Amino acid sequence: MSSADITGERDIPEPDTASKGDIAPERDGPRDTGMDEASLHRWLARTWRTPPGIVGALSSVDHKVIARRYLITAFVFLCLGGLNAVAMRIQLSGPRRGLIGPDLYNQLFTMHGVTMMFLFAVPIVQATGIYLVPLMVGTRNIAFPRLIAFSYWIYVSGGAFAWVSFALNMAPDVGWFAYVPLSGPEFAPGKRADVWAQMITYTEVSSLAVAVATIVTVFKQRAPGMSLDKIPLFVWAMLVTSFVVVFAMPAVMITSTFLILDRLVGTHIFNPAEGGDALLFQHLFWFFGHPEVYIIFLPATGMVSSIIPAFARRPTFGHLGLVLSLIAVGFLSFGLWVHHMFATGLPKLGASFFTASSMMIAIPNGVQIFCWLATLWDGRPVIRTPMLFVFGFFFIFVIGGLTGVMLASVPLDLQVHDTYFVVAHFHYVLIGGSVFPLLGAAYFWFPKISGRMMSERLGRWHFWLAFIGFNATFFPMHLLGLWGMPRRVYTYPAELGWGNINLFISAGAVLFFLSFVLFTFNLAHGALKGAPVGNNPWDAGTLEWATSSPPPSYNFARIPIVTHVEPLWAEREALPVATGLRVDARELLISTVAEAHPDIREKSATPSIWPLLAALSVGGTFVYSIFTPWAIVWGAAPIAITLVGWFWPKGDPEDEE
């Protein structure tokens, strides 16, 4: 580590190292200062490359490689969860159908919720951040890249564990929320609830690792000049989301740990007969569960805030207001959890507080929508496929928000609680608020990831199939809920008159599923035969479009200097750059938190197989622990060995000093 020796076309204040003490001078090596472009690219390509071969691929710490793996894996889980949903809708398409029995239906229902919430929704938005945040802030790699590699291997092993359990008839069958006492040892014998508890721990460890790396990347690795007021809105969204993850996810990890202790060790934390409290489970779960909705939603709003200015041809209206709205939503999301528990018998004062909080969070969300509409109103919008999905998001999410305000009313909530009205609201918020922006983002950033363009014609067909199929599926569920159809039932009697509307809903679900089949074809066709594109096919203004499509392993040959919130629009000719980084070692520029002044140079981790081995050790311990608590003891040894290998010093004496 050494003082930053950064020069560039713009004056950059020298870092104040007097308070840091003497920093050992680093061994001299070639730097990018004055180096011609061809030599610079050759040096950096060799320094930042992923080693060849299978072991090299498994050792990669390139944030783009890991993010692509995350995205592909999450998409596979989306398809699996979608197949679960189609199977359930076929069963419910008519009264008293016997295609699926109650036991399998409970597994399908639980695996659908678990897959969509824990294995698709959160990982895919975090994967988008892993790929884009380093590019948007102008750095060569994400912070703690080995931790990010470890997080992926934990995530994929946890998801595989859950689905292998499903194939072995051991899948969780207690709902994606696994309420006690239903999931406790008295009412859920066997290992199904244990699989749920350990799978939750898997995914939350993965999410926490990504959140920590994202926070450090945003705070300490921004390009020179990217002060807090110039950070892109998507990066702000990922930063706020990461803080919500850090504060919310431990609650559900505590919940799953307490549950498995009750089941395997014989504690009685959730057993009222022995002095425990069953409602404690709900409080802990929903303290995570409602922020979870915004962990999924906030990155989607950042995607919308990136797509709209690119197609409106103007900077976003109310940049500061949007940032403050993101922070407000993240903060207020922790004051809403009890509105999931209005039917449990709360004190009226407590219910009133959470009713007010549930309505209050609509204010910053409304501010965001008005800022987006103002941007479009004052711009020159170009309607392409990403914008169609943004418009679909506006329509669907507003309906979901309105029904959310309705459910914040205790009398109405008591009437429709555990009915299909809640199912409709939940999907309008999560699919409308997350999946539609995510699909728009897929079309928007696909050229950056692949260097090719997806078909615009197929994209429009995809949008209309998805929009019509979604509304045909979930809007009638509001009516079903008001008519009294309960959630989580595998059949219903014909005399209640729900058969025709359920048949219509199931047809809409099939149409919605077919839209994703078309999307998959468009993805594959675009990746293989799509039209090649340049660095910035949309003429967008943020830094990820300043490098090639797809980006090289080192992201930027020279670190850009940021002068505007849309730097590519402010510097049409060429971005000013900073120089002075080593080209024979993986070196990053570390900047100050507020103003992003150059501070120090720091080495980035090299490829390593140890994160994979550590994930296998941790995963094996998790799986074995559902059969015996002694697994924690025996599993500590391989975990310790892999961590020693991971962190064993390998640098030069100068680096260690």
Side-chain angles (χ1 to χ4, degrees), residues 116 141 143 153 207 229 277 288 451 520 535 568 587 607 610 619 646:
M116 291 305 196
N141 204 357
W153 298 120
S207 296
D229 61 326
D277 188 352
F288 144 82
T520 304
N535 296 349
L568 299 191
E587 200 167 66
W610 289 108
W646 182 344

Side-chain angles (χ1 to χ4, degrees), residues 273-303:
E274 299 292 339
D277 188 352
L279 280 185
L280 175 63
F281 183 100
Q282 291 193 38
H283 281 292
L284 288 172
F285 183 86
W286 288 116
F287 186 80
F288 144 82
H290 204 89
E292 162 93 341
V293 173
Y294 293 97
I295 290 168
I296 298 167
F297 171 68
L298 285 171
T301 64
M303 296 170 190

